[in-house]
Amino acid sequence: MLAATAFAVPAFALDDQQKKEMGEFIREYLIQNPEVMIEVQNALEAKQQNQRVDQSTKAVAANKEAIFASPTDITLGNPKGDVTVVEFFDYNCGYCKHALADMDTILKRDKNVRFVLKEFPILGPDSIAAHKVANAVRLVAPTKYAEFHRTLLGSREHASEETALSVATALGIDGAALRKSMKDNPNDDLVRQAYQLATAIGITGTPTYVVGDEAVFGAVGLDTIEEKVANVRACGKASC
């Protein structure tokens, strides 16, 4: 009973000697049992992840129209597909480049997926410039956008205004028309909207996907995305 009472005493009620002894005891215990720190770290990471998922799920529910049905986003695959996958990407993102094959495989295997490309340039001025060109391609030659996207994102070259224009003109898109569109229709507002949406969802990097009610952070791979799609069909949620 005395021991229980002693541990119930708040720290501020201990004198300096007692605090020193308790500190030494805790230090010695942790040195002898370092696995406790790993357990604490794992618990903290799990708590933070749960908080992040909860925040993103609420934000997805509150911003469905902007995420899934923005008229300024390009849609690949089946425009009337029963499940939509949204990808936030940057043309200079190495992980996005690797994930390009995942998108193509999904679209090849599953003819009932609607895939939305959400331009999210976060890797510096060259990325912003490359996405300005992409926006001009969307406006000037929308039927060429998919090929432009695959070519630029699939390239090993650093994406910039110059490289993006080079890709576009190589596809037969008029360079002068693109430059005029970039001047007349800068996509600053679109980029700002993407940033605001990403902040609400908790997106800090690319690629990030939104499937059903859930944000999926990082280049998680083909199997995970296909599992989320299957879950949406099975139970209406990305995680059943």
Side-chain angles (χ1 to χ4, degrees):
M1 188 69 174
L2 291 176
T5 303
F7 277 108
V9 176
F12 64 80
L14 302 176
D15 61 32
D16 290 344
Q17 181 60 33
Q18 289 172 320
K19 290 179 180 177
K20 180 179 178 182
E21 291 173 355
M22 180 174 286
E24 290 175 350
F25 170 77
I26 292 172
R27 178 177 180 277
E28 183 63 26
Y29 178 81
L30 292 176
I31 290 174
Q32 294 297 323
N33 301 275
E35 65 275 7
V36 172
M37 296 304 297
I38 297 175
E39 292 176 10
V40 171
Q41 181 64 30
N42 290 341
L44 175 61
E45 290 176 356
K47 181 178 180 180
Q48 291 174 333
Q49 178 62 17
N50 288 337
Q51 290 173 337
R52 188 183 191 191
V53 169
D54 183 59
Q55 174 197 345
S56 68
T57 301
K58 290 177 179 176
V60 169
N63 294 278
K64 284 186 176 181
E65 188 73 17
I67 296 170
F68 296 106
S70 172
T72 60
D73 293 334
I74 290 292
T75 298
L76 304 181
N78 186 345
K80 296 183 179 180
D82 64 340
V83 178
T84 297
V85 177
V86 179
E87 180 185 357
F88 287 75
F89 73 96
D90 182 303
Y91 279 116
N92 279 314
C93 166
Y95 294 106
C96 299
K97 291 179 180 294
H98 288 296
L100 178 61
D102 294 337
M103 180 193 78
D104 283 335
T105 300
I106 289 170
L107 295 177
K108 183 178 180 180
R109 287 182 180 176
D110 193 329
K111 300 304 181 182
N112 210 20
V113 164
R114 176 175 174 265
F115 205 104
V116 173
L117 298 172
K118 184 79 70 175
E119 301 209 15
F120 184 47
I122 57 172
L123 297 177
D126 280 347
S127 286
I128 292 173
H131 280 271
K132 285 182 182 292
V133 177
N135 184 58
V137 171
R138 177 181 68 83
L139 295 172
V140 172
T143 59
K144 297 267 189 175
Y145 182 95
E147 189 176 2
F148 167 86
H149 172 77
R150 288 184 171 95
T151 304
L152 184 59
L153 189 58
S155 172
R156 293 185 179 181
E157 284 190 273
H158 179 76
S160 63
E161 179 178 313
E162 181 182 358
T163 55
L165 283 171
S166 177
V167 167
T169 54
L171 295 175
I173 305 172
D174 185 273
L178 289 174
R179 291 186 182 279
K180 184 177 186 304
S181 178
M182 291 165 64
K183 181 180 178 180
D184 295 344
N185 303 286
N187 68 339
D188 298 341
D189 288 343
L190 299 182
V191 170
R192 191 177 300 112
Q193 290 168 17
Y195 286 0
Q196 291 171 345
L197 193 57
T199 299
I201 298 171
I203 297 172
T204 57
T206 51
T208 293
Y209 302 91
V210 179
V211 187
D213 62 332
E214 189 177 306
V216 184
F217 302 97
V220 294
L222 177 63
D223 290 346
T224 296
I225 299 173
E226 289 189 322
E227 179 184 358
K228 299 293 183 184
V229 170
N231 285 344
V232 172
R233 289 183 175 135
C235 68
K237 297 181 179 181
S239 297
C240 293

